[in-house]
């Protein structure tokens, strides 16, 4: 819970005990942590080695010692539970090690690009949904005998939204192709996530605005898009973290 973007602040431990590792610690913001049938856990197996002393385990959440201590109440994404998990003397067989002991940090880092590209697509998809909803509304809503899409101000807003959504989707596809080909794509994944997540927040907000007062009601989908998309610039690395990665790649 205290770590956030500071991955080096990891405190969970996994101490060897015969043919098992005993896991203790607390994990915060675990997506579907209360629902998943499999969990991947990162913990310190040798504190003296720093990040080279971290190991990853593939474990069964149904075992004793895996405790769901809290389900978070969130602004959006209500259908995806986010949990706090406590490991209380959880016994993980040595065979549950992912890769080798001490390779956990590099193993987890290797999956970050995949995750960031996935979040970028989530953001772009929400923006696409919000744009579609705004287009439908603008073609149906009439003011002074004309649909509001005939008003230049609204039409220009929709044009800007469409351009941003299309650019985001194309760059997400570019990053995904690099990732699928096994090429280094840390910078591209960060660019995709940064651009798509910040673009989506603006587009969803504008879609709500086009709906006027109705956009603020739960009768229309744009209020949910607006709430759901906000977290995409936070999880899997905040926008500032993405900018840091991109800046380092330019040096």
């Amino acid at each position: 819970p205290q770590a956030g973007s500071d991955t080096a602040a990891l405190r969970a431990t996994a101490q060897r005990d015969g043919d098992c590792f005993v896991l203790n610690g607390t994990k915060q913001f675990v997506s579907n942590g209360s629902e998943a049938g499999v969990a991947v856990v990162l913990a310190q197996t040798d504190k003296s080695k720093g990040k080279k002393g971290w190991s990853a385990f593939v474990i069964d959440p149904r075992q004793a010692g895996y405790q769901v201590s809290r389900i978070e109440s969130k602004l959006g994404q209500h259908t995806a539970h986010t949990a706090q998990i406590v490991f209380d003397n959880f016994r993980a067989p040595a065979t549950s090690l992912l890769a080798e002991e001490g390779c956990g940090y590099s193993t987890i880092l290797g999956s970050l690009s995949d995750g960031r590209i996935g979040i970028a697509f989530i953001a772009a998809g929400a923006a696409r949904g919000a744009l579609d909803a705004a287009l439908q509304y603008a073609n149906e809503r009439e003011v002074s005998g004309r649909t509001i899409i005939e008003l230049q101000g609204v039409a220009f807003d929709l044009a800007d939204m469409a351009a941003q959504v299309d650019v985001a989707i194309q760059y997400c596809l570019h990053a995904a192709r690099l990732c699928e080909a096994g090429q280094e794509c840390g910078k591209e994944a960060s660019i995709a996530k940064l651009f798509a997540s910040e673009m989506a927040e603006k587009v969803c907000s504008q879609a709500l605005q086009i709906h006027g007062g109705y956009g603020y009601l739960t009768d229309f989908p744009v209020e949910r898009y607006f709430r759901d998309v906000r977290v995409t610039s936070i999880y899997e690395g905040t926008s500032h973290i993405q900018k840091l990665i991109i800046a380092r790649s330019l040096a």
Side-chain angles (χ1 to χ4, degrees):
Q2 81 293 332
S5 297
D6 182 11
T7 54
L10 177 77
R11 293 180 185 172
T13 60
Q15 295 184 333
R16 189 83 186 222
D17 183 17
D19 59 355
C20 288
F21 287 86
V22 181
L23 275 63
N24 284 285
T26 303
K27 299 292 187 180
Q28 179 66 318
F29 302 132
V30 182
S31 299
N32 294 315
S34 59
E35 310 294 326
V38 177
V40 177
V41 185
L42 189 64
Q44 291 180 346
T45 45
D46 189 340
K47 190 174 182 178
S48 66
K49 293 182 179 179
K51 292 177 182 177
K52 292 184 178 180
W54 295 6
S55 301
F57 301 85
V58 180
I59 61 99
D60 183 349
R62 294 170 296 183
Q63 283 184 226
Y66 183 100
Q67 301 174 2
V68 179
S69 62
R70 176 181 171 88
I71 303 293
E72 302 296 346
S73 178
K74 301 178 297 183
L75 172 69
Q77 297 195 358
H78 293 161
T79 58
H81 284 175
T82 301
Q84 183 181 83
I85 305 297
V86 173
F87 289 91
D88 183 11
N89 291 322
F90 181 97
R91 298 185 68 82
T95 54
S96 67
L97 274 167
L98 183 60
E100 299 177 359
E101 185 176 347
C103 294
Y105 187 73
S106 58
T107 300
I108 297 300
L109 279 184
S111 69
L112 288 179
S113 291
D114 306 57
R116 286 168 178 161
I117 293 169
I119 298 303
F121 272 114
I122 289 173
R128 176 78 249 184
L131 172 60
D132 289 345
L135 281 168
Q136 180 179 343
Y137 184 81
N139 276 291
E140 295 173 353
R141 173 72 164 134
E142 292 187 1
V143 174
S144 301
R146 292 192 299 169
T147 58
I148 62 173
I149 200 169
E150 297 177 68
L151 303 174
Q152 189 178 72
V154 174
F156 279 8
D157 286 345
L158 289 166
D160 283 341
M161 293 159 67
Q164 292 178 63
V165 170
D166 282 357
V167 168
I169 290 173
Q170 291 304 313
Y171 197 88
C172 287
L173 288 169
H174 167 62
R177 290 188 185 104
L178 292 176
C179 187
E180 189 176 51
Q183 298 183 36
E184 173 56 43
C185 59
K187 180 189 75 173
E188 290 79 7
S190 289
I191 290 174
K193 183 182 182 299
L194 174 66
F195 184 82
S197 63
E198 300 207 341
M199 171 279 300
E201 188 176 347
K202 295 173 185 175
V203 166
C204 290
S205 177
Q206 190 60 50
L208 191 154
Q209 188 74 20
I210 288 171
H211 280 70
Y214 289 110
Y216 203 66
L217 305 181
T218 58
D219 303 64
F220 290 80
V222 288
E223 63 84 26
R224 180 171 64 84
Y225 288 127
F226 181 72
R227 288 184 292 104
D228 284 353
V229 82
R230 181 61 183 85
V231 74
T232 60
S233 61
I234 298 174
Y235 61 10
E236 289 288 332
T238 65
S239 290
H240 281 164
I241 291 295
Q242 307 314 318
K243 290 177 182 179
L244 183 63
I245 293 168
I246 296 165
R248 286 174 176 170
S249 73
L250 303 176

